[in-house]
Amino acid sequence: MHAPLRLLLFLLISVHLNAADASGGPVDLDAPSSLRTGTLLREKREVRVQEGKGRMQKSSSANDFFCRFVQRVNLVRRLLGTDTEEVQVREMVCELINYNGPAPQPAEQAGPLMGKTLRLRKSDGKWKCALVGGKPTAEQQKFLNDLAFTRLLLEIPEACLHNQTHKTGETWKVSINESSGKDYGAVVAKDIECTLAAVDERPDGKLATVHLVGNFTMERPMNYLSRIEVAFDITLVRRLSDMLDVNTKITGSLKNIAQVNDAEGKAAQLTLELPYTLVRTQAIERK
């Protein structure tokens, strides 16, 4: 056989075998991560709410409005051990607008944590985000709470895929955090369905694409007098060599019912219904 033809056949067979390895047998979706203490991760993410609806209900009147929210961050995260990280905020762009009538023009601006170093730690199943080297202002604390809550939302796939091994095309249901009573600040999820959509061989390793849908509730998130209900539809791409989720997209809706004080200091009930999109990419940052 002519040498170039033999080489072509060899390459075709290799491609076929790689494809079979990628999509044939069961895949462990939750092997121990190979990311070591000291690893730097570059994370970019954006949370966006378009045409959210709100109502401020007082004892004798109600005020309806629309809202728009954007938060875009560029983070460098240093892993400090189990459930602890140091986070440098390289970029933070935010917008929060409440309005009536036509939507106003975009008015994004730098967030109050821009250039700051944070400490992210998980304790009692809850993430807490603190400012390093100083006490946060009230505005900064709100954004610290936002980052901690977003991290909690992004952790749902990890909990769903714990101890899961499946073949491409399989669909299964999972239950997480089935606590009884009201565990304040904890996610209580239900009706979660997962599908291993694909396993592909890429230059940076084998990647699994997983689809998850479901919902969860939370009582008194971040110690606020409120209740949230979240529906989610998640597509994530997980690199199996180190279990890093390189791409994540979440769409869904969030409903928040909270007891607040209005501009006059009087008690009121705030109801928000927010259709949201969250996208995130992660990559190892080379030193």
Side-chain angles (χ1 to χ4, degrees):
M1 185 181 295
H2 199 286
L5 183 57
R6 287 201 303 269
L7 178 59
L8 178 59
L9 288 174
F10 173 76
L11 291 174
L12 289 173
I13 291 171
S14 297
V15 171
H16 173 75
L17 290 176
N18 286 337
D21 289 342
S23 60
V27 173
D28 187 351
L29 298 171
D30 187 44
S33 173
S34 62
L35 298 177
R36 299 180 179 179
T37 298
T39 298
L40 293 176
L41 294 177
R42 171 78 65 169
E43 176 177 343
K44 297 180 180 180
R45 71 170 180 250
E46 180 181 280
V47 183
R48 184 175 292 271
V49 172
Q50 295 281 62
E51 294 190 1
K53 296 180 180 180
R55 165 169 284 202
M56 183 74 78
Q57 181 75 52
K58 305 177 185 180
S59 59
S60 58
S61 63
N63 177 32
D64 294 330
F65 58 91
F66 294 102
C67 59
R68 185 173 69 211
F69 174 81
V70 177
Q71 186 181 102
R72 186 167 59 253
V73 295
N74 184 345
L75 311 173
V76 175
R77 297 162 41 209
R78 182 186 298 274
L79 307 185
L80 300 180
T82 304
D83 295 334
T84 305
E85 299 178 2
E86 181 183 88
V87 181
Q88 298 176 17
V89 183
R90 297 290 178 85
E91 178 188 11
M92 186 176 215
V93 176
C94 306
E95 179 189 47
L96 175 59
I97 294 179
N98 297 331
Y99 62 95
N100 291 296
Q105 292 297 314
E108 298 179 1
Q109 57 186 357
L113 299 179
M114 178 82 166
K116 302 297 184 181
T117 299
L118 317 176
R119 181 64 59 92
L120 197 62
R121 186 190 305 273
K122 191 176 184 181
S123 177
D124 297 327
K126 305 174 183 66
W127 284 99
K128 297 181 180 179
C129 193
L131 187 65
V132 173
K135 184 177 180 180
T137 65
E139 184 184 20
Q140 287 175 331
Q141 186 60 57
K142 291 179 181 178
F143 282 87
L144 291 171
N145 292 342
D146 285 346
L147 292 176
F149 178 79
T150 304
R151 180 59 180 273
L152 187 67
L153 185 61
L154 286 164
E155 199 177 44
I156 289 176
E158 181 178 336
C160 292
L161 300 180
H162 182 61
N163 293 330
Q164 297 293 330
T165 301
H166 294 277
K167 293 183 179 180
T168 303
E170 276 194 72
T171 296
W172 66 99
K173 293 186 177 182
V174 296
S175 297
I176 60 173
N177 201 18
E178 292 185 328
S179 59
S180 58
K182 293 185 178 181
D183 186 4
Y184 292 146
V187 168
V188 180
K190 62 179 181 178
D191 300 329
I192 300 177
E193 185 172 275
C194 311
T195 300
L196 178 55
V199 179
D200 300 305
E201 197 73 50
R202 303 283 180 85
D204 59 340
K206 192 177 291 187
L207 301 178
T209 301
V210 185
H211 185 216
L212 309 95
V213 294
N215 58 82
F216 71 85
T217 59
M218 183 184 294
E219 299 284 347
R220 293 192 181 182
M222 298 172 286
N223 293 321
Y224 293 131
L225 291 177
S226 66
R227 170 186 170 85
I228 64 172
E229 302 171 1
V230 178
F232 57 84
D233 187 318
I234 304 173
T235 299
L236 69 87
V237 179
R238 175 168 292 184
R239 187 166 60 211
L240 299 179
S241 60
D242 53 14
M243 294 295 151
L244 181 67
D245 293 340
V246 295
N247 285 288
T248 304
K249 181 176 182 179
I250 308 177
T251 59
S253 61
L254 183 151
K255 183 176 182 179
N256 182 22
I257 301 176
Q259 302 302 316
V260 299
N261 291 326
D262 64 14
E264 299 175 352
K266 297 180 180 180
Q269 178 175 285
L270 175 64
T271 301
L272 297 173
E273 296 183 8
L274 309 175
Y276 69 89
T277 300
L278 189 160
V279 293
R280 176 180 71 164
T281 62
Q282 293 188 109
I284 295 176
E285 181 87 345
R286 303 302 176 186
K287 298 180 181 179

